[in-house]
Amino acid sequence: MKKNEIYIKSGTEYKEMTKELLEQCGLAEQIPAKDLQIGIKPNLVSPTEASWGATTHPEIVAGIIEYLQKKGFAKIAILEGSWVGDKTTEAYELCGYRELSEKYQVPFWDMQKDTGVDRDCGGMALKICSSVEKIDFLINVPVLKGHCQTKITCALKNMKGLIPNTEKRRFHALGLHKPIAHLNMGIRQDFIVVDNICGDLDFEDGGNPVVMNRIWAGMDPVLIDAYVCQIMHYQTNDVPYVKLAEELGAGSADLSQAEIIFCEETAKKALPKSRKVVELQDAVEEVESCSACYGYLIPALEMLKNDGLFEKLDTKICIGQGYRGKTGKLGVGACTCRFEHNLNGCPPTENQIYEFLKEYIENFLQ
C-alpha cells in the first residue's frame, strides 16, 4: 500500500470486511517484525454502543486482531482513554471491549489510569500517556463523524485519547486545533482503519447515526482527514488542524495526489450534508470549553428545539474554562458556577442540561 492511497470497502459483515481489507492493503508486510508491540487505538469517547454513531465498532477491532494473530503477531494491546467526564472502564464494558479483550487474550490499557510524560511534539511540549512509549506500531481506528467544535473528527483528532485528562482540558485552553496538529508529530500513526459504518455527522458523542456501512484503510492521517473534509462538504481550511498538521510534516492534505480506491461500486455513495449543529451554536458563547461539556450541551439544545423551547431563550448560554471566576446570567458547567443561573457539573449530562434549560425557560421567562 502506498502513502497516497485510501482503500474504501463496503458491506455489512464488518469483521470479515476488515480482514479482507487488511489483506488487500498488505498490512502484515508493513510491520517490520513479528515481536513488535502493536497498539490498536479505537474511539471509545463515551459509554455508547457503536450503533449510536460515536464509538468504534468492536467487530472492526476483532477483524484487525484476527488478521494479526493469523499472521503471527502475538504482542497486541488495545489502548484508549475516554473524554473528560466519562470513564473508560464504562465504555470498555458497554461498547463490547471487555468481551473482545477476553476472547482474543489481548490486554486493554486504560489511558485514564496511565501516567503522563513530557514529549516534544513538533516544537510544542505536550504530555502523552506513558504507555504510548511501549508501542512499536500503532494502528488507529477512528470513527468518521462530525464534531460540534472542530466540524470533523477522524484520524488526527483520535490521538487525543492517548493524553491524560489534564492535558485534554489544556488542549481546549490552547484552542484545540494547534495542539491536535502538534500531537500528531509526537505520536505517529503507522496505519489507519476508519470506521465509516454509522458515524454521527453532527455530534462527537453520537445520537444521530448515518449508516454508510464502509471501512477505510490508509497510512496518512492528514490525507484521510482532508478527504473526510471533502466528503463532509467542508473545505480543508474549515478544519485548521488539518492544514497545520500538513505544515508541520505529519502528512499531506493534497487530494489531487490522492488515489481513492473503491473496493466495490457500492462503496462510492456520498455522505449527506448535515448541519444541525450550526443553528444551535448561535445560542452559545463558548470559551475554552472541554469537548464533553460542549458535546453534551449541543444535543440538549436540539432536545429543546424539538420541544419548541429553543427559540424562547433570551440570552446566550456561556460555557468553558474561560468563564472561571466570572459572573453572568446563564451558564452551564462548573466553570460558570458564579453565574446567576448555573448548572454545575464537570460535565453535566445532556439530560441534566436539558432539564436545567427547560426549567429556566418555563420559570424565569414567563
Side-chain angles (χ1 to χ4, degrees), residues 12-126:
T12 55
E13 298 293 331
Y14 307 133
K15 184 169 69 173
E16 294 307 312
M17 278 171 63
T18 302
K19 291 191 286 185
E20 291 169 8
L21 185 59
L22 299 183
E23 192 70 55
Q24 189 169 356
C25 295
L27 171 59
E29 288 71 37
Q30 297 171 39
I31 305 174
K34 300 288 186 184
D35 61 347
L36 295 184
Q37 178 64 65
I38 299 171
I40 299 174
K41 165 61 176 79
N43 185 324
L44 301 181
V45 60
S46 60
T48 55
E49 293 182 354
S51 60
W52 193 248
T55 57
T56 302
H57 203 295
E59 286 192 34
I60 294 180
V61 177
I64 295 171
I65 294 170
E66 285 192 10
Y67 170 87
L68 291 171
Q69 290 180 339
K70 184 178 179 181
K71 297 290 184 178
F73 298 96
K75 293 179 66 176
I76 306 168
I78 304 168
L79 62 165
E80 169 65 321
S82 298
W83 66 2
V84 177
D86 276 310
K87 294 180 179 179
T88 315
T89 49
E90 294 178 1
Y92 170 66
E93 294 280 357
L94 197 147
C95 300
Y97 281 76
R98 173 186 285 279
E99 182 180 345
L100 199 67
S101 179
E102 292 175 349
K103 177 179 179 179
Y104 295 104
Q105 293 298 291
V106 170
F108 184 97
W109 299 349
D110 183 351
M111 296 296 96
Q112 285 185 335
K113 297 178 179 179
D114 214 18
T115 56
V117 296
D118 293 321
R119 177 173 287 189
D120 177 67
C121 299
M124 177 180 275
L126 298 172

Side-chain angles (χ1 to χ4, degrees), residues 314-346:
D314 68 334
T315 187
K316 290 202 174 187
I317 304 157
C318 294
I319 183 172
Q321 300 171 70
Y323 290 105
R324 285 177 178 166
K326 297 182 180 180
T327 58
K329 185 172 183 180
L330 183 62
V332 166
C335 298
T336 60
C337 63
R338 295 190 178 185
F339 276 48
E340 181 183 351
H341 301 279
N342 163 258
L343 174 65
N344 216 332
C346 189

Side-chain angles (χ1 to χ4, degrees), residues 1 6-7 22 37 50 54 111 119 127 160 163 190 199 219 225 238 245 255 257 273 288 339-340 360 365:
M1 186 179 193
I6 299 174
Y7 283 74
L22 299 183
Q37 178 64 65
M111 296 296 96
R119 177 173 287 189
K127 285 192 180 296
K160 268 192 72 191
I163 60 175
D190 296 288
M219 296 174 63
D225 279 15
D238 292 333
L255 291 174
Q257 299 300 313
K273 188 172 184 177
E288 301 171 8
F339 276 48
E340 181 183 351
Y360 169 78
L365 300 184

